Amino acid sequence: MGHWELIKALEEETLRQRAELLREAEEFSLSASGCASLDATRKRDEEIRLLNVELDSRRTAKLNIEILQQRALVLETKHELIEEVLGLAIERIKGSKDYGRALKVFYEELKAEWKKDDIDKDPSALVNPVDLGIVSDPHMRFVADPFVSNGVILVSEDGRIRYEATLSSR
């Protein structure tokens, strides 16, 4: 059921429930006193008003839930498409000769950033085992890490400082 069809169905159901409650309230009012006094009429009118408020509140809540679910579905679909496109782009880049150059650029940028931030601790460079031979530097300790994907991560010995440059993070 589409968004607008659901809204129309909810409105129709609300109107049906409202009519039923009004009919029941009218029957109750007539059967209780035979003829309605001014106080009974006021009480009935107040009950009807409260029922209408409650029905409106329920209808609004149902509509809001449906709208949120629709938006969540749209966001989920967009996220899946972005992930798919990103995956295809990464595979295309990894298959090209530019991948090695990109890793070297990532490493140089991270090293410059680490130096610029004047961090006392010497970092280690984490790279995927497949990429281990692509980037080299005699002044850096490179560590194979299967959890690093398509990039380089500089990390302090204690692991508290971490700079990342990967295709996914860009």
Side-chain angles (χ1 to χ4, degrees):
M1 179 180 291
H3 178 70
W4 296 113
E5 291 86 8
L6 180 63
I7 290 172
K8 183 158 178 58
L10 288 171
E11 286 175 347
E12 289 172 0
E13 177 63 16
T14 300
L15 290 174
R16 187 194 64 71
Q17 288 177 357
R18 181 179 284 166
E20 178 66 21
L21 288 170
L22 288 173
R23 186 188 60 73
E24 288 176 6
E26 184 70 30
E27 287 176 5
F28 175 76
S29 175
L30 291 175
S31 68
S33 66
C35 69
S37 68
L38 186 56
D39 288 340
T41 301
R42 286 182 184 153
K43 184 176 180 181
R44 184 194 64 172
D45 290 346
E46 180 62 16
E47 288 174 356
I48 291 171
R49 187 190 68 74
L50 291 174
L51 289 172
N52 283 331
V53 167
E54 183 180 344
L55 285 174
D56 286 342
S57 176
R58 285 183 187 179
R59 182 177 148 264
T60 300
K62 286 180 183 179
L63 288 174
N64 286 337
I65 288 170
E66 177 60 27
I67 289 168
L68 286 174
Q69 289 172 340
Q70 291 287 332
R71 287 180 181 167
L73 182 61
V74 168
L75 288 174
E76 182 180 338
T77 303
K78 285 180 180 181
H79 182 263
E80 288 172 0
L81 289 172
I82 289 168
E83 288 292 324
E84 184 178 338
V85 168
L86 179 62
L88 291 172
I90 288 172
E91 288 305 313
R92 192 172 271 178
I93 291 169
K94 281 185 80 167
S96 76
K97 59 185 174 192
D98 292 332
Y99 179 66
R101 192 171 29 223
L103 285 181
K104 290 173 186 174
V105 168
F106 289 169
Y107 171 69
E108 291 301 326
E109 288 175 358
L110 289 177
K111 194 167 77 168
E113 191 72 23
W114 192 277
K115 186 175 182 178
K116 183 185 100 184
D117 289 347
D118 199 27
I119 299 171
D120 294 340
K121 302 170 184 171
D122 289 333
S124 294
L126 307 178
V127 294
N128 191 282
V130 174
D131 300 333
L132 198 54
I134 295 175
V135 181
S136 63
D137 181 346
H139 304 292
M140 180 66 64
R141 185 174 77 105
F142 286 88
V143 178
D145 186 339
F147 296 106
V148 176
S149 179
N150 311 307
V152 179
I153 297 174
L154 292 186
V155 63
S156 63
E157 274 188 42
D158 60 8
R160 294 176 62 193
I161 302 171
R162 182 179 179 98
Y163 287 23
E164 179 175 337
T166 62
L167 293 174
S168 300
S169 68
R170 299 244 169 160

